[in-house]
Amino acid sequence: QVQLVESGGGLVQAGGSLRLACAASGRTLGMYHVAWYRQAPGKEREFVAIINKGSSWTSFADSVKGRFAISRDNAKNTVNLQMNSLKPEDTAVYYCGASVVGFRESDIGYWGQGTQVTVSS
């Protein structure tokens, strides 16, 4: 099975950028669809972005379209989430998840522990 560890979170001012990384061990991350989700205090976890196994397809939540990008670094066995033009409402714990089959949250079999992103106004 695969183990996932997120990194790159932190405190940034509105309008700034952060790059999150989801690093895998145990298996090649290219074998999985990989998604990013986030959970703000008092709210349910919500979908942010996803990239399929072959990196031929990506999808984003409407709230982050045009600001966030998702990509794979196969040499490092990571999936990255580049976040630009950050807003205070992007503040949340960000989680990466991997699925073998399917693109729904319920299809994700492996989750990382999360990384905190805080955007100040």
Side-chain angles (χ1 to χ4, degrees), residues 24-60:
S25 60
R27 291 282 178 88
T28 300
L29 205 51
M31 300 172 59
Y32 302 87
H33 307 305
V34 178
W36 286 92
Y37 282 75
R38 66 187 182 187
Q39 187 168 20
K43 295 186 177 181
E44 294 187 354
R45 186 163 57 190
E46 65 174 2
F47 168 75
V48 176
I50 190 168
I51 186 167
N52 72 338
K53 293 179 185 179
S55 301
S56 60
W57 175 79
T58 60
S59 181
F60 297 89

Side-chain angles (χ1 to χ4, degrees), residues 5-12 16-23 36 51 67-74 76 78-86 94 115-119:
V5 177
E6 301 94 337
S7 63
L11 174 64
V12 64
S17 298
L18 283 175
R19 186 177 180 87
L20 305 184
C22 175
W36 286 92
I51 186 167
R67 300 189 297 122
F68 290 13
I70 188 170
S71 62
R72 292 183 184 270
D73 186 335
N74 292 326
K76 295 182 178 180
T78 63
V79 169
N80 300 313
L81 184 69
Q82 178 67 42
M83 306 187 296
N84 300 323
S85 303
L86 283 162
Y94 284 70
T115 185
Q116 176 70 47
V117 172
T118 303
V119 185

